[in-house]
């Protein structure tokens, strides 16, 4: 019913996370009506294709020379402190705080308990190889910086067990009341964690 | 903070309807991780750019030879019955019913009462020229096939007044209980319209 070029493109766009078939069609008709946005999108996707590389060490996308991102290749970053995060965006969020001087490992996804394959695609082999290449062949600290959701907690437990020989210390980011949040509205679990996490 | 190619692309994607900055970034990181989807997307956007034309008469996007879409160029379609719709998707929805043998005019958007410019970009000049080129220089019927929302009703009222000399008859699509809908759950306005729309 739709012309082929619209139908095929709609199927691809509907494969993207949290975009359905109907929204895909709406996006396409918007692009058809707006030539400038459409051409800019094509041009910028080509730029992305041409320039973006994935860091061999931490899997962060980056631009520029070499095989390592600007964090892994920065001599002032501490290579034997590694923060494990779920996804790329989390690295940029943590970097914005300017309070972490270690390096990262991006899992790319959390464990989905209904998908046994999701245990094997967290790039932990690469993490182990990387740690074994450190001067001491062990990390000082692995910080599990994963959201405290159900799947996040499951993933964290799995990682703690799996990685225990890779680091002198394995920690998790602190749980508590978010800055600006009110104790009155915190759920019991958050409050419990905030109390035991006191300093 | 983000590499330029990611930052620029995110700004363009966030211009698309109902996509925010954060979702744009998530989409981009998904594309970076999934080379096959990314390349398919680029290839299909290029196809769209190359093949899609906009019908000179009704503004429907189409592929193929000539300047008219497959509906406007079809000799068995009735040129002096014109359904006015808001957007491209609506044409395909109506075509799926196989119950309309006239042609279309796509407004591209509804009137936004807070934006005076939105009154002037409904392509009504082109509609008038098209009607004046009909053998009788007037349409038999203009059907206003616009959703019965607040903005849709405003647009319909404006069109009825503005187009009254262009057609022997101006009609609106029927209002009533949707097929499969229950009277119990219909709101009063819908029920009122369904009653007055009885046959």
């Amino acid at each position: 019913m739709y012309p082929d070029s619209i139908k095929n493109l709609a199927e691809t766009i509907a494969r993207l996370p949290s975009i359905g078939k109907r929204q895909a069609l709406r996006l396409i008709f918007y692009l058809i009506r707006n030539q400038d946005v459409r051409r800019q999108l094509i041009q910028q996707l080509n730029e992305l294709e041409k320039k973006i590389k994935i860091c061999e060490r931490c899997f962060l996308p980056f631009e520029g020379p070499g095989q390592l991102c600007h964090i892994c290749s920065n001599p002032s970053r501490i290579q034997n402190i590694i923060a494990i995060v779920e996804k790329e965006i989390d690295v940029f969020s943590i970097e914005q705080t300017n309070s972490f001087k270690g390096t990262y490992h991006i899992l790319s996804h959390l464990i989905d308990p209904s998908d046994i394959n999701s245990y094997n695609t967290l790039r932990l082999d690469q993490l182990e190889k990387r740690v074994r290449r450190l001067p001491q062949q062990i990390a000082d600290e692995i910080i599990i910086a994963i959201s405290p959701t159900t799947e996040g907690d499951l993933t964290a437990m799995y990682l703690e067990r799996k990685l225990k020989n890779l680091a002198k210390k394995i920690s998790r980011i602190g749980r508590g009341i978010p800055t600006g949040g009110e104790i009155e509205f915190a759920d019991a679990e958050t409050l419990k964690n905030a109390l035991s996490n006191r300093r």
Side-chain angles (χ1 to χ4, degrees), chain A residues 90-106:
Chain A
D90 301 337
V91 171
F92 294 101
S93 298
I94 295 176
E95 285 297 291
Q96 264 185 324
T97 68
N98 261 324
S99 62
F100 180 64
K101 289 294 158 217
T103 53
Y104 297 93
H105 173 82
I106 299 173

Side-chain angles (χ1 to χ4, degrees), chain A residues 33-132:
Chain A
R33 278 196 300 271
N34 295 276
Q35 196 188 57
D36 55 328
V37 180
R38 183 174 76 240
R39 294 200 171 155
Q40 200 164 33
L41 183 68
I42 293 176
Q43 186 244 313
Q44 289 171 344
L45 280 168
N46 280 318
E47 282 290 288
L48 189 80
E49 179 71 33
K50 211 164 53 192
K51 291 197 177 156
I52 286 290
K53 297 187 279 193
I54 309 277
C55 177
E56 282 189 348
R57 194 174 288 166
C58 74
F59 302 100
L60 187 71
F62 73 105
E63 279 178 10
Q67 304 307 317
L68 298 180
C69 72
H70 65 289
I71 298 171
C72 287
S73 62
N74 181 343
S76 73
R77 302 296 292 238
I78 304 161
Q79 296 291 335
N80 50 14
I81 296 181
I82 301 170
I84 299 187
V85 298
E86 177 194 346
K87 52 191 194 299
E88 298 83 353
I89 274 186
D90 301 337
V91 171
F92 294 101
S93 298
I94 295 176
E95 285 297 291
Q96 264 185 324
T97 68
N98 261 324
S99 62
F100 180 64
K101 289 294 158 217
T103 53
Y104 297 93
H105 173 82
I106 299 173
L107 296 172
S108 86
H109 60 85
L110 298 179
I111 288 174
D112 170 1
S114 71
D115 174 13
I116 194 160
N117 193 45
S118 70
Y119 288 77
N120 303 320
T121 48
L122 302 173
R123 306 154 161 173
L124 299 183
D125 291 349
Q126 290 99 319
L127 178 63
E128 179 166 2
K129 274 189 209 140
R130 162 185 173 184
V131 168
R132 294 306 177 210

